[in-house]
Amino acid sequence: RNSDEDHTPQNAPNSSEVTNDSYNLTMNWALGDWVLTAITGYIDREEDFRVEYDAAQVEFLTVQAAQEYEQFSQEIRLSSPLRDDFDYIVGLYFQTSEHLFNDQILVPAASILVPAINAQSPGAGSLVANTQAARVASVDNDIISAFAQVSWHINDQFTAQIGGRVTEDDRDGDRRHEGKQDERQKRRDEEKGLDPPAAHLARGVLRVVPREGGRPTRVVHDLAFNASIVVMFFVNTTWHVCYYVFL
């Protein structure tokens, strides 16, 4: 059917499959009047989807993508005994994660790109039929931090809290591009001595000289300190007013 404000035509249904697994474990130990708390978390997420961005009845481009995300975290904190004048919390936090992503822009054999490119550069369009341009990316992330918070109970109605956190954040990421072709078409092109489709398109149609390889690995290292000040006024046992300052 034709497009309107409520509908867009497609050659096949868009699809998405998402799997989320998350686990959390909290344990508390009483050490006299002190409390030791350990919080462990794990997340595993997988997603696969197919989508047509052209919103046209004719064959054009199709995108298929998949991504995986895995995260593990561990927090350990120690809470002091509750007192009338002040109490405090100190702790450590660690998190490690890995994110993998890849997508493919597919050019079907019946795509209107094939005759359109052939009209500009004879033979070039046929070379891109049944091919795909793929992007592959990954990010590894490690975070470790130490934190503390002190609560000063000025009187029955006013409490001031001062907190701070030091965080070290390390990230390694890379990205690369790949071009793939139908294996039968690839063998026929090799027998004829033809260039791979991506290189042929770049040089013959787009007049671009391709660059070898992908984007190099990027390493990011951050060390940060954050502080906060909170003043709380307790109206009664149900209502209270807070004033926050973040540094």
Side-chain angles (χ1 to χ4, degrees), residues 61-78:
L61 294 174
T62 300
V63 176
Q64 292 180 342
Q67 61 179 333
E68 299 178 9
Y69 179 77
E70 187 176 17
Q71 174 188 297
F72 170 81
S73 63
Q74 179 66 60
E75 178 178 319
I76 298 177
R77 65 173 183 252
L78 182 65

Side-chain angles (χ1 to χ4, degrees), residues 8-30:
T8 57
Q10 296 172 336
N11 299 296
N14 291 338
S15 62
S16 178
E17 182 177 350
V18 180
T19 302
N20 278 311
D21 295 316
S22 60
Y23 305 92
N24 184 272
L25 175 64
T26 301
M27 296 181 290
N28 294 292
W29 293 272

Side-chain angles (χ1 to χ4, degrees), residues 1-244:
R1 60 183 297 173
N2 294 325
S3 298
D4 56 37
E5 62 182 58
D6 298 317
H7 305 88
T8 57
Q10 296 172 336
N11 299 296
N14 291 338
S15 62
S16 178
E17 182 177 350
V18 180
T19 302
N20 278 311
D21 295 316
S22 60
Y23 305 92
N24 184 272
L25 175 64
T26 301
M27 296 181 290
N28 294 292
W29 293 272
L31 306 176
D33 293 333
W34 300 72
V35 177
L36 180 65
T37 302
I39 303 175
T40 305
Y42 177 77
I43 298 174
D44 185 16
R45 173 186 172 91
E46 297 182 2
E47 180 179 7
D48 295 275
F49 63 89
R50 174 199 179 279
V51 62
E52 292 184 19
Y53 287 114
D54 52 86
Q57 291 178 309
V58 296
E59 290 276 4
F60 185 56
L61 294 174
T62 300
V63 176
Q64 292 180 342
Q67 61 179 333
E68 299 178 9
Y69 179 77
E70 187 176 17
Q71 174 188 297
F72 170 81
S73 63
Q74 179 66 60
E75 178 178 319
I76 298 177
R77 65 173 183 252
L78 182 65
S79 302
S80 72
L82 297 177
R83 299 166 43 132
D84 293 334
D85 49 359
F86 72 92
D87 49 70
Y88 58 89
I89 298 173
V90 295
L92 296 172
Y93 177 81
F94 171 75
Q95 174 185 303
T96 182
S97 64
E98 181 181 13
H99 186 195
L100 302 175
F101 174 84
N102 69 82
D103 68 354
Q104 300 85 35
I105 301 176
L106 310 176
V107 182
S111 171
I112 60 172
L113 277 178
V114 176
I117 295 174
N118 278 333
Q120 298 295 320
S121 180
S126 301
L127 290 176
V128 300
N130 289 319
T131 64
Q132 67 182 42
R135 296 180 299 176
V136 181
S138 65
V139 177
D140 295 328
N141 185 206
D142 292 321
I143 298 174
I144 185 168
S145 64
F147 58 89
Q149 175 183 288
V150 178
S151 298
W152 175 30
H153 308 296
I154 303 171
N155 54 41
D156 291 340
Q157 289 185 301
F158 283 96
T159 293
Q161 288 183 342
I162 300 176
R165 177 184 292 264
V166 177
T167 303
E168 183 179 63
D169 188 345
D170 291 314
R171 303 187 183 198
D172 298 339
D174 64 9
R175 184 180 68 188
R176 65 183 184 274
H177 299 271
E178 300 174 350
K180 297 183 180 180
Q181 185 182 22
D182 178 82
E183 289 300 321
R184 291 174 299 176
Q185 182 66 45
K186 182 178 180 180
R187 287 194 297 269
R188 288 196 295 266
D189 293 343
E190 290 175 346
E191 292 172 357
K192 297 177 184 179
L194 298 175
D195 289 341
H200 183 89
L201 259 183
R203 290 196 291 266
V205 180
L206 303 178
R207 303 293 192 268
V208 174
V209 177
R211 183 178 63 182
E212 296 295 332
R215 185 172 182 176
T217 299
R218 183 180 182 186
V219 179
V220 177
H221 175 82
D222 288 327
L223 183 63
F225 174 74
N226 302 100
S228 65
I229 300 174
V230 180
V231 177
M232 293 181 287
F233 172 68
F234 294 89
V235 179
N236 50 46
T237 57
T238 303
W239 295 92
H240 65 276
V241 179
C242 296
Y243 177 73
Y244 296 88

